[in-house]
Amino acid sequence: MSNKVVHAIYNDDDILLDAVKKTRAAHHHIEEVYTPFPVHGLDKAMGLAPTRLAICAFLYGITGFTIYANLLNYIMIVDWPQDIGGKPSFAFYQNLPAFVPVMFEGTVFFAAHLMVITFFLRSKLWPFKQAENPDVRTTDDHFLMEVGVHGNEEELVSFFKNTGAVEVKVIEK
C-alpha cells in the first residue's frame, strides 16, 4: 500500500473551495486542508460531519448548574444557615433569587472550561506538541489540500493542475 500524498497548493480561497468540490465529485479522498484563515463553507464542501461540541457544552452546563445548586444548598441551608439581611435560611426555594447569579456563573464556568479541555483533547492539541504543518506558506497566504494517492499518480497531478493549483507535489509520507 502506498503512503504517497499529493499536496495541491492554491493561492485563492474561492479556487480552493471549487477544487475541493471537484475533488469530492471525482471521488478522491481528501486527507486534510490547511488554510491560513477559516474558509466559509469548506467543512460542508469537504463533507465533514457537524460538530457535537454544542451537546457537550449543554451537558457541561447542566453539570455545573447541578454542582453549584447542591453546593449552595449544602453551604447556605444545611451546614451553616445564617440570617443575612433578614432573609430566612430554612429552605432552598426561599433563597433562590439570591442563588441565581451564583448558579448562572457556575454553569458558565463549567461549560467554558470543560469545553476548552474537550476541544484540546479532541483536536489532539496538548502542551509541547509539534506542529503538523506540511508547508509554511499555509500560515501566510496559501492553501494546501492533501489527497492520498490511490491509483495513477500522473493522472492525479494533472487533475489538480486543472483545478487551479499553482503547485502540485507528490510527497512520500
Side-chain angles (χ1 to χ4, degrees):
M1 185 166 149
S2 176
N3 286 335
K4 291 184 179 181
V5 292
V6 173
H7 285 176
I9 299 175
Y10 300 88
N11 58 4
D12 186 57
D13 56 334
D14 292 328
I15 296 172
L16 169 76
L17 203 54
D18 290 337
V20 167
K21 291 175 185 175
K22 289 177 186 174
T23 305
R24 292 242 321 146
H27 302 292
H28 297 297
H29 177 66
I30 300 172
E31 305 273 336
E32 188 65 68
V33 176
Y34 299 91
T35 64
F37 55 84
V39 177
H40 181 69
L42 184 61
D43 53 345
K44 189 174 278 190
M46 288 178 65
L48 298 176
T51 181
R52 294 184 302 266
L53 286 175
I55 297 168
C56 290
F58 178 74
L59 294 175
Y60 295 152
I62 292 294
T63 303
F65 177 82
T66 304
I67 287 173
Y68 272 77
N70 288 323
L71 180 71
L72 285 168
N73 184 49
Y74 177 73
I75 291 172
M76 300 300 288
I77 306 301
V78 176
D79 186 40
W80 196 341
Q82 297 180 33
D83 186 9
I84 300 172
K87 295 180 183 176
S89 295
F90 303 124
F92 184 79
Y93 71 90
Q94 291 174 324
N95 291 322
L96 188 61
F99 294 165
V100 166
V102 178
M103 290 187 299
F104 173 77
E105 291 300 328
T107 301
V108 172
F109 177 83
F110 263 69
H113 286 81
L114 291 176
M115 281 300 299
V116 168
I117 292 168
T118 301
F119 174 76
F120 283 144
L121 291 175
R122 180 73 179 101
S123 301
K124 296 182 178 108
L125 294 172
W126 35 78
F128 312 111
K129 183 175 188 299
Q130 295 296 319
E132 296 177 3
N133 192 2
D135 194 322
V136 295
R137 294 177 289 178
T138 60
T139 61
D140 188 23
D141 61 349
H142 282 71
F143 306 86
L144 186 140
M145 180 171 26
E146 186 177 272
V147 177
V149 175
H150 305 292
N152 191 352
E153 189 176 307
E154 290 81 21
E155 181 183 313
L156 205 54
V157 169
S158 68
F159 171 78
F160 285 114
K161 287 191 180 188
N162 289 335
T163 62
V166 294
E167 185 180 328
V168 180
K169 296 185 280 187
V170 178
I171 308 290
E172 186 76 34
K173 238 182 170 181

